[in-house]
């Protein structure tokens, strides 16, 4: 089954997804692969529909991390299960991006309410919540191999739980997690039935995707939005008044003050010009230099909650998903979901993976794209990621596909 779906275009898959989602919401009953999940006598507002089990995963070398298994409180197990692998940065098990954007909490709740067990875990070295570091040495020395091995250990913990059916296991990766989920799946092909990739990385995350974020995207914005006369020039005042581009050209200590004079002075000093700045000759080299600084590997210690130098280096050297996705077992179902306004993992990355799977004749892969949605599957512009609760349509599509692939 080779499926390519634009979510808001007519498609049998989409019609089925919408119908099924509506049925799930409006019905007083639900079934989990033939097992009644709710009964009329228990349809109460305070009914517990999800149970939770707190776990600790031994990652080796004295490193542990917290995890949580959620599963249906009603219905007969063991249940099909999903392992969640986060995106980049110091993220907790809920993948808390902002106060109102917690994709993995939403996914685990949604799926566990509908018959799935879901395991999520804090990244190694991360504290009790996102963007806190509990062990700077563990966090700063994190590598691709660590991420993959941590996922494998979490997978082993998942299949050992009595609430879980070890023959119906899926792995879901988001953003950077889409680099690791296929590797874990390929190395455990007899155990993993499905792989789900949300906000996909296909090419080298350092050489291709980060360059797009740091250089290509702001250049495209400068030319398409600010250079109205197609002269190749934009004024300093345009930059000062534009909250998007100025964040690329000014240090945060200046751009976040909203002090127009301070920003103007800083730009004049940087570009040695008090009027118009040349996009190609001045702004582009500046952006490339910033990209090179961001991705340099000569920092001895890591004090950032983002990607540390050691991880950057291992990411730059790892095989791309585009080169390896064709090796996924033909018996493994693959679902790819991407927002069309994703500026962190552009939708073209998802198209590349889909094309590669077509080339190797993988029999069961689906791509669904969502107009107007960004990296967190929340409505966003084509230039910036906005954060908020995931669109219900995305959760419904995820569940519908998983339900049909977990029987």
């Amino acid at each position: 089954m080779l499926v390519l779906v634009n979510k808001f275009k007519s498609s049998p898959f989409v019609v089925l997804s919408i119908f099924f989602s509506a049925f799930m919401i409006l019905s007083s009953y639900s079934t989990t692969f033939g097992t009644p999940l709710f009964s009329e006598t228990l349809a109460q507002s305070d009914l517990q529909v999800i149970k939770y089990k707190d776990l600790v995963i031994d990652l080796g070398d004295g490193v542990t991390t917290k995890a949580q298994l959620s599963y249906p409180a009603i219905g007969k197990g063991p249940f099909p299960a999903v392992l969640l692998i986060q995106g980049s940065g110091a993220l907790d098990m809920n993948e808390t991006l902002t106060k109102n954007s917690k994709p993995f909490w939403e996914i685990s709740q949604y799926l566990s309410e509908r018959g799935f067990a879901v395991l999520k875990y804090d990244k190694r070295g991360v504290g009790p919540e996102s963007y806190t570091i509990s062990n700077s040495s563990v966090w700063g020395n994190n590598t691709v191999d660590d991420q993959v091995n941590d996922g494998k250990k979490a997978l082993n913990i998942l299949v050992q739980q009595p609430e879980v059916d070890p023959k119906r296991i899926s792995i879901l990766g988001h953003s950077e997690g889409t680099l690791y989920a296929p590797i874990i799946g390929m190395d455990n092909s007899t155990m993993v039935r499905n792989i789900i990739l949300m906000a996909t990385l296909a090419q080298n995350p350092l050489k291709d995707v980060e360059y797009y974020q740091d250089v290509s995207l702001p250049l495209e914005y400068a030319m398409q939005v600010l250079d109205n006369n197609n002269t190749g020039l934009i004024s300093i005042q345009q930059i000062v008044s534009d909250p998007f581009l100025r964040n690329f050209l000014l240090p945060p200590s200046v751009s976040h003050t909203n002090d127009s004079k301070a920003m103007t002075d800083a730009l004049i000093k940087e570009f040695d010009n008090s009027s118009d700045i040349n996009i190609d000759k001045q702004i582009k080299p500046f952006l490339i230099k910033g990209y090179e600084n961001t991705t340099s590997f000569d920092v001895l210690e890591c004090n950032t909650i983002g990607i540390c130098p050691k991880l950057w280096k291992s990411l730059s050297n790892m095989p791309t998903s585009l080169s390896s996705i064709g090796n996924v077992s033909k018996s493994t179902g693959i679902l790819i979901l991407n927002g069309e306004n994703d500026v962190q993992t552009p939708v073209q990355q998802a198209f590349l993976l889909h094309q590669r799977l077509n080339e190797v004749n993988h029999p069961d892969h689906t791509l669904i794209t969502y107009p107007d949605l960004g990296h967190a599957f929340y409505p966003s512009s084509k230039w910036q990621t906005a954060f908020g609760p995931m669109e219900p349509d995305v959760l419904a599509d995820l569940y519908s596909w998983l339900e049909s692939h977990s029987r």
Side-chain angles (χ1 to χ4, degrees), residues 1-2 328-332 357 360-365:
M1 178 179 66
L2 312 178
V328 173
S329 170
K330 294 291 194 293
S331 63
T332 303
L357 289 166
V360 299
N361 295 315
H362 190 281
D364 184 4
H365 65 278

Side-chain angles (χ1 to χ4, degrees), residues 144-166:
V144 165
D145 287 343
D146 289 325
Q147 293 293 305
V148 172
N149 290 332
D150 292 353
K152 290 179 179 179
K153 289 181 182 296
L155 177 64
N156 289 332
I157 291 292
L158 176 62
V159 299
Q160 293 172 17
Q161 304 307 307
E163 300 84 1
V164 169
D165 184 346

Side-chain angles (χ1 to χ4, degrees), residues 5-9 13-22 25 106 110 198 335 337 368-371 373 377 389-401:
V5 179
N6 177 296
K7 188 64 186 76
F8 297 106
K9 291 182 180 179
F13 181 89
V14 175
V15 172
L16 175 61
S17 174
I18 294 173
F19 171 80
F20 194 84
S21 302
I25 294 170
E106 293 182 72
Y110 195 94
M198 300 183 68
L335 173 64
L337 305 176
I368 307 177
T369 66
Y370 300 88
L373 297 192
F377 293 91
M390 294 178 67
E391 283 292 287
D393 225 19
V394 178
L395 293 168
D397 287 340
L398 171 62
Y399 167 73
S400 181
W401 187 91

Side-chain angles (χ1 to χ4, degrees), residues 304-351:
T304 178
I305 56 175
I307 298 179
C308 291
K310 194 165 185 178
L311 180 56
W312 266 133
K313 189 170 185 177
S314 62
L315 284 169
S316 70
N317 293 328
M318 74 178 295
T320 65
S321 293
L322 188 59
S323 67
S324 60
I325 195 72
N327 298 325
V328 173
S329 170
K330 294 291 194 293
S331 63
T332 303
I334 302 174
L335 173 64
I336 304 172
L337 305 176
N338 224 101
E340 293 183 13
N341 281 356
D342 191 330
V343 298
Q344 291 166 265
T345 54
V347 69
Q348 289 80 7
Q349 297 288 303
F351 290 145

